[in-house]
Amino acid sequence: MGDILTNLFSNFSVWNKNLEDVEKFVDAGGDFSSIPLLNLHSLIKKSSIPYDMLPSLLPKLTFEQRQLLLDLDFWQKDTLDVKNFNFWVEVYSQVKEEEIQFEFVQGTTFSLFIKARFNIWTFDAEEPLYPEHDNYFITPDNQLLFEFDDDFYYVREIKMLIDVLYSNLGVEKAYAHLFKIISDSYSMMIEDEYRMKVGRLEEEGIVDYYRALEICSSLSSIPSLNNYLLKKKDNFIKSIFTKATKETPSDEEINNINVHANWPIHLYEELADIKEELSKIKSDKRKRYLQFDFVQLMNSTMVLNNSFNSSTLALTELGKETKNIVTLGFEYLIQQMKLSNSKPNSKPISKPNSKSKCDCGCDGEINNNNINVKIVEDYSFKEALKEEGIFKIYDFVDLYKCGYTLIKLNQQRIKNALKNSAFDSEKSEYFLGSYLNELVDNSFSLSSNINTAQIDNLLDYEKWNQKIEFFLSILPYIKSFHKTLSDLIKESKISDAYYLNYNLDNIDFEALIISSFARFVLDDVDANSNSSSKDKKPKMGLTISEFKKFIKDKEILIENKIADFNDSNKLKNKILQFRDTFGFREVAGFDKYLYEILDQHLSGILSSNDSGNDSGFDIAESDLIHVGGPIIFHPDLGADLEAVKQ
């Protein structure tokens, strides 16, 4: 069978190649009935097929294909997407073959559409009652009135399709058909059609919203995840004796599986370790199941993100996110298997209500009731893993569940911490500073880098985990700083006029902590030089001269870059002293955080001709307005400076 993933994608790359010139394919009478559903849908919705060709294409499709295309576009998760369905109303109104139009207008999807978009009333031509606006039309038999909203622009198309219904059914039957739509329960119609839609799409390997939720769910904790994996392991061991195996999809189901034409296939060519494990599988049935399982997982992520109509870029991001979760889960599962194999397996396996010898190649005995089964060395769990790898027992959904649980648990910790500290709103989250906001934002975008590291392996996951631990540890301190600043503002003890490069509403934790660190360094310099200026220091900022003095320190900035943390003894020692003095010793990673925000705000702060200039650097006050990092006092503060001194 070859490489499972390579074989899976081969057919779709062939279609993409053959359909480069779709117009010629249509003109030549190409057979669209053999195109996989999602490829066909992508060709239509991504303008690979010119819009004016679509009315002539629909008759070339089978009835089932036309219905499935409507199924894909009429639902968003588990609700109707009537806005997206306007596309098909316009296309079908231009089809020349009236029997195709009649098929469309007679279908349940169209009935639900008009019930959702129109208020339909019975109309008496002899005693007419009209709405108090012009947004309505009357059916050809003058018995029904269709009322619509101002923002509905497809009235002409709907009127034409209603005319098709009347011309094919006749007045009496057409009226009865429409009146039934009015009379039937809307919720019951949706429920019935959703159930029918689910069945049709499942035959194409496309799961419904609730099944997708089940497939892409996470576990509530790490112990729950490990218990889930242990249960699958135990079930596998039992299957050795009971011959119970996971149900294998039929050949028809395998042939019907669909992968979206714009799914980023190239990303999965990088999964060397997973491909190596897959290559150990010997059973063709297991290979077919894993192939089906993989496609179900991909489609489930698309269903949950409503991505069937998304751009290629959006699908690439979703594909990258899914790939990252799967590879992280793979590494976690491999790690757990190694830990499991290092422990003796003494747990008894039982099989009820049987009395026979096991014929799987071992000498286990199975008795009437729940009796222990002996697992011998010639066919053990460890040997099964060694011979056919983890995919003998686990599948792609399991890998995703592992990775997604690891990610989701950390995301939930961040959410809870932000909520409890009141930094979960746009109004307050700015105070965290750019470094921590970037960490939070990227932690919820798994296709992005999280402070330069993709979370697709355990090593980078652990680094991310350490960053989150730091974030959770420092959050109470940030909350305290925020409260102090808010109190000063409320009491009118500070104002925008005091500061040159900040307004009160954009001072954040980074500005406060860098200012405090600069003050700490300058205080030490003043102490060593016996400066009397130490008696009166601004509490929340630096004067321009103090700012220049701090920047001039050649052990802080070297050639316009922040000194290396390990090479500059003064900088390193000062950061560690500051950490201990201000009570941040218990926050693991604070020293690294402070160094990184210093680097972010101060490196490159001098212009090129000022670097290395021992006489200091001259920078216009107008330029200082745009400087980040330390808070700088306005030079015109004068006597008001006393209000913010220690």
Side-chain angles (χ1 to χ4, degrees):
M1 189 175 177
D3 185 285
I4 291 175
L5 299 184
T6 302
N7 288 341
L8 174 63
F9 293 128
S10 60
N11 291 333
F12 305 108
S13 60
V14 170
W15 273 117
N16 289 336
K17 179 180 179 181
N18 289 344
L19 292 179
E20 287 175 354
D21 191 346
V22 181
E23 187 171 354
K24 291 181 180 179
F25 187 81
V26 174
D27 291 341
D31 182 13
F32 279 85
S33 64
S34 59
I35 304 179
L37 172 63
L38 291 182
N39 290 51
L40 178 61
H41 182 267
S42 177
L43 288 169
I44 291 174
K45 298 306 290 285
K46 304 305 176 189
S47 301
S48 299
I49 298 177
Y51 182 80
D52 57 1
M53 292 179 61
L54 292 180
S56 61
L57 167 64
L58 288 180
K60 299 178 185 295
L61 305 180
T62 65
F63 167 77
E64 288 76 14
Q65 283 180 307
R66 290 191 291 269
Q67 181 59 57
L68 288 166
L69 288 172
L70 299 180
D71 289 338
L72 284 175
D73 280 350
F74 196 40
W75 299 87
Q76 185 177 110
K77 297 182 179 177
D78 59 342
T79 58
L80 296 183
D81 187 354
V82 292
K83 184 177 180 180
N84 193 40
F85 196 73
N86 290 332
F87 171 86
W88 290 108
V89 170
E90 188 172 9
V91 170
Y92 272 93
S93 68
Q94 299 176 34
V95 173
K96 294 181 179 179
E97 290 80 359
E98 190 170 298
E99 63 272 17
I100 301 297
Q101 293 181 324
F102 179 57
E103 170 196 296
F104 173 68
V105 77
Q106 195 180 16
T108 309
T109 48
F110 183 78
S111 298
L112 276 171
F113 175 77
I114 62 173
K115 195 172 179 70
R117 290 308 306 246
F118 295 89
N119 290 322
I120 307 175
W121 311 94
T122 56
F123 183 77
D124 187 348
E126 295 181 359
E127 297 182 6
L129 292 175
Y130 297 99
E132 295 180 355
H133 53 74
D134 295 329
N135 298 331
Y136 69 91
F137 68 86
I138 300 172
T139 55
D141 58 358
N142 288 326
Q143 295 189 71
L144 294 172
L145 184 146
F146 281 62
E147 185 181 11
F148 52 89
D149 295 328
D150 291 334
D151 61 350
F152 185 69
Y153 305 109
Y154 299 92
V155 179
R156 184 183 62 83
E157 289 81 359
I158 293 295
K159 288 178 67 177
M160 193 208 72
L161 291 170
I162 294 293
D163 289 345
V164 169
L165 183 70
Y166 272 83
S167 65
N168 281 267
L169 288 180
V171 171
E172 186 176 337
K173 289 184 178 179
Y175 173 80
H177 178 82
L178 293 174
F179 190 79
K180 185 176 186 301
I181 296 174
I182 301 173
S183 305
D184 285 351
S185 165
Y186 183 60
S187 60
M188 290 296 293
M189 288 177 66
I190 288 180
E191 184 178 334
D192 291 342
E193 181 59 17
Y194 183 80
R195 185 169 59 252
M196 296 296 292
K197 182 268 301 190
V198 168
R200 289 190 294 262
L201 289 179
E202 277 186 348
E203 292 179 0
E204 300 295 318
I206 302 172
V207 300
D208 77 298
Y209 176 68
Y210 295 105
R211 174 61 179 150
L213 279 177
E214 180 184 345
I215 289 173
C216 297
S217 63
S218 63
L219 280 301
S220 59
S221 65
I222 295 297
S224 295
L225 175 61
N226 292 338
N227 286 336
Y228 169 84
L229 297 176
L230 182 61
K231 184 177 179 181
K232 291 209 71 169
K233 168 187 169 182
D234 290 345
N235 288 341
F236 167 76
I237 298 173
K238 289 179 182 179
S239 73
I240 296 174
F241 303 99
T242 64
K243 296 186 177 179
T245 58
K246 189 149 191 172
E247 183 180 353
T248 303
S250 65
D251 291 338
E252 183 180 358
E253 288 177 305
I254 292 293
N255 293 333
N256 286 338
I257 57 177
N258 277 265
V259 176
H260 199 284
N262 291 326
W263 188 262
I265 299 169
H266 63 280
L267 294 175
Y268 295 86
E269 296 174 356
E270 308 167 7
L271 308 181
D273 291 340
I274 291 180
K275 286 185 175 183
E276 183 180 352
E277 283 294 307
L278 287 170
S279 67
K280 299 176 183 179
I281 295 295
K282 300 173 184 177
S283 166
D284 285 343
K285 285 186 177 181
R286 185 64 180 172
K287 289 179 180 179
R288 287 204 304 274
Y289 168 74
L290 289 170
Q291 187 170 309
F292 186 82
D293 175 73
F294 179 81
V295 175
Q296 275 209 327
L297 174 61
M298 301 302 105
N299 288 338
S300 295
T301 61
M302 293 183 67
V303 168
L304 292 180
N305 291 276
N306 196 34
S307 299
F308 290 118
N309 292 308
S310 297
S311 65
T312 301
L313 178 61
L315 278 177
T316 300
E317 290 300 302
L318 178 60
K320 183 187 289 187
E321 177 179 311
T322 305
K323 188 265 294 184
N324 289 349
I325 293 174
V326 168
T327 52
L328 174 63
F330 175 77
E331 286 204 7
Y332 180 80
L333 187 53
I334 290 291
Q335 181 192 73
Q336 291 303 112
M337 291 303 98
K338 289 179 179 178
L339 292 174
S340 175
N341 288 345
S342 65
K343 301 174 184 178
N345 188 354
S346 58
K347 186 176 180 178
I349 307 298
S350 60
K351 180 178 187 298
N353 303 322
S354 178
K355 187 177 182 180
S356 63
K357 282 282 184 179
C358 180
D359 59 359
C360 70
C362 73
D363 63 354
E365 273 190 6
I366 305 175
N367 297 320
N368 264 331
N369 299 313
N370 293 337
I371 306 298
N372 290 348
V373 175
K374 180 183 177 184
I375 301 177
V376 294
E377 294 180 357
D378 59 329
Y379 195 18
S380 67
F381 173 71
K382 297 178 184 178
E383 290 182 350
L385 285 178
K386 183 178 180 181
E387 290 175 6
E388 299 195 57
I390 65 169
F391 286 106
K392 177 72 174 178
I393 304 149
Y394 302 100
D395 52 36
F396 286 102
V397 170
D398 296 327
L399 301 189
Y400 186 92
K401 199 173 290 290
C402 288
Y404 191 52
T405 298
L406 295 177
I407 297 291
K408 199 69 176 177
L409 290 175
N410 270 350
Q411 289 178 339
Q412 193 59 50
R413 294 170 69 201
I414 294 174
K415 282 184 179 180
N416 292 340
L418 288 173
K419 184 177 180 180
N420 293 334
S421 59
F423 289 120
D424 58 343
S425 67
E426 292 184 7
K427 185 178 180 180
S428 59
E429 66 182 6
Y430 82 93
F431 190 77
L432 297 174
S434 59
Y435 180 89
L436 293 179
N437 269 313
E438 181 185 355
L439 172 63
V440 172
D441 291 343
N442 289 343
S443 293
F444 291 91
S445 177
L446 301 183
S447 59
S448 304
N449 289 343
I450 297 180
N451 296 128
T452 71
Q454 278 194 353
I455 309 304
D456 60 355
N457 60 81
L458 284 179
L459 180 61
D460 286 333
Y461 172 80
E462 183 54 37
K463 292 178 182 177
W464 177 48
N465 205 44
Q466 290 174 1
K467 289 179 183 293
I468 292 175
E469 290 294 339
F470 163 74
F471 174 72
L472 299 179
S473 298
I474 201 171
L475 209 52
Y477 296 87
I478 298 176
K479 184 177 180 180
S480 177
F481 272 69
H482 185 258
K483 183 180 184 305
T484 300
L485 178 64
S486 298
D487 290 344
L488 289 173
I489 295 172
K490 288 179 181 178
E491 296 169 7
S492 300
K493 292 185 176 180
I494 55 177
S495 72
D496 289 339
Y498 292 172
Y499 307 108
L500 184 65
N501 59 334
Y502 283 94
N503 293 322
L504 294 181
D505 58 3
N506 59 24
I507 293 177
D508 58 22
F509 180 70
E510 289 179 6
L512 293 174
I513 209 69
I514 291 175
S515 298
S516 299
F517 176 71
R519 167 64 48 216
F520 184 77
V521 172
L522 292 172
D523 283 351
D524 184 60
V525 171
D526 290 341
N528 291 335
S529 61
N530 296 317
S531 172
S532 60
S533 64
K534 188 181 178 184
D535 295 336
K536 295 183 178 181
K537 300 296 181 187
K539 183 177 182 181
M540 204 177 76
L542 307 173
T543 64
I544 293 176
S545 61
E546 289 170 334
F547 173 71
K548 290 182 177 182
K549 187 177 182 181
F550 175 67
I551 294 300
K552 279 180 60 177
D553 193 323
K554 297 305 178 183
E555 294 191 27
I556 301 294
L557 279 179
I558 300 176
E559 296 183 353
N560 206 19
K561 293 181 180 179
I562 198 75
D564 187 271
F565 186 73
N566 295 317
D567 293 341
S568 173
N569 290 328
K570 178 177 179 180
L571 178 59
K572 181 177 181 179
N573 289 337
K574 274 296 170 188
I575 288 177
L576 295 177
Q577 289 171 17
F578 177 80
R579 178 198 67 183
D580 296 345
T581 302
F582 282 79
F584 290 107
R585 187 179 184 87
E586 301 302 319
V587 181
F590 176 82
D591 50 340
K592 191 173 183 181
Y593 163 75
L594 180 54
Y595 176 81
E596 292 201 22
I597 62 173
L598 286 169
D599 184 26
Q600 177 183 337
H601 287 283
L602 300 183
S603 288
I605 200 171
L606 305 179
S607 59
S608 58
N609 61 341
D610 290 324
S611 298
N613 188 346
D614 291 335
S615 62
F617 73 97
D618 287 330
I619 183 169
E621 291 180 11
S622 59
D623 293 331
L624 283 175
I625 293 174
H626 307 293
V627 169
I631 301 170
I632 303 174
F633 283 103
H634 198 285
D636 297 333
L637 190 57
D640 290 337
L641 187 62
E642 297 296 327
V644 286
K645 286 184 177 181
Q646 289 180 342

